[in-house]
């Protein structure tokens, strides 16, 4: 089995933001030369997440609105005693920091309305990392 590891970095410009990384992930799969296997997309961060959903501006705003509604920044969170970003930690804990996709015939399998996004929930940040690991043959 082959293992191909790649780390991407990017910066975010807003407190809450969705950044489409679909084509970056697909390029890494191409680069890897792996035809069949799995692709892990992982954000090594406690206040960001990785999700797969539709790249439509209304929906992208809806997703961020829902996150803000469910995890209000001014909630009575204990973590806010030492940091002001408990809401981002909670949302990241619930949404998860990774997604795994099947790779078949050299291509990532995803639904037509499934793009891959980094969800920034405590930006702006100058240095967000995304680990992409492709396993297979
Ligand atoms: Zn914190």
């Amino acid at each position: 089995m082959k293992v191909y590891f790649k780390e991407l970095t990017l910066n975010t410009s807003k407190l809450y933001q969705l950044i489409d990384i679909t084509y970056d992930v697909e390029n890494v799969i191409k680069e890897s030369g792996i035809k069949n296997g799995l692709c892990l997309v992982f954000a090594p961060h406690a206040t960001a997440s990785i999700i797969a959903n539709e790249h439509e501006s209304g929906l992208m705003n809806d997703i961020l609105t829902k996150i803000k509604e469910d995890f209000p920044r001014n909630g009575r969170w204990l973590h806010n005693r030492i940091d002001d970003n408990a809401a981002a930690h909670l949302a990241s804990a619930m949404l998860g920091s990774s997604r795994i996709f099947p790779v078949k015939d050299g291509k990532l399998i995803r639904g037509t309305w499934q793009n891959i996004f980094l969800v920034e929930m405590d930006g702006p940040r100058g240095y967000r990392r995304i680990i992409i690991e492709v396993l297979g043959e």
Side-chain angles (χ1 to χ4, degrees), residues 79 83 85 89:
H79 182 66
D83 206 353
N85 62 357
H89 284 275

Side-chain angles (χ1 to χ4, degrees), residues 99-115:
R99 291 290 191 270
I100 297 172
F101 299 88
V103 176
K104 188 167 168 27
D105 302 325
K107 291 201 167 117
L108 178 136
I109 297 182
R110 60 185 174 89
T112 310
W113 313 119
Q114 273 184 318
N115 279 35

Side-chain angles (χ1 to χ4, degrees), residues 69-136:
E69 278 174 9
D70 285 358
F71 305 99
R73 290 197 87 82
N74 61 0
R76 297 177 64 193
W77 313 121
L78 300 180
H79 182 66
N80 283 348
R81 293 183 304 197
I82 59 158
D83 206 353
D84 64 353
N85 62 357
H89 284 275
L90 290 166
S92 171
M94 299 303 143
L95 292 172
S97 53
S98 67
R99 291 290 191 270
I100 297 172
F101 299 88
V103 176
K104 188 167 168 27
D105 302 325
K107 291 201 167 117
L108 178 136
I109 297 182
R110 60 185 174 89
T112 310
W113 313 119
Q114 273 184 318
N115 279 35
I116 307 168
F117 295 93
L118 172 81
V119 188
E120 173 61 81
M121 295 174 287
D122 196 32
R125 295 288 185 109
Y127 189 69
R128 285 299 200 187
R129 298 161 62 206
I130 298 164
I131 307 291
I132 300 167
E133 195 162 19
V134 191
L135 301 108

Side-chain angles (χ1 to χ4, degrees), residues 45-74:
H45 297 291
T47 56
S49 289
I50 302 290
I51 62 167
N53 220 289
E54 185 176 357
H55 189 131
E56 186 279 313
S57 60
L59 179 68
M60 289 163 70
N61 274 308
D62 291 340
I63 290 170
L64 297 178
T65 299
K66 175 69 175 156
I67 291 169
K68 291 177 215 169
E69 278 174 9
D70 285 358
F71 305 99
R73 290 197 87 82
N74 61 0

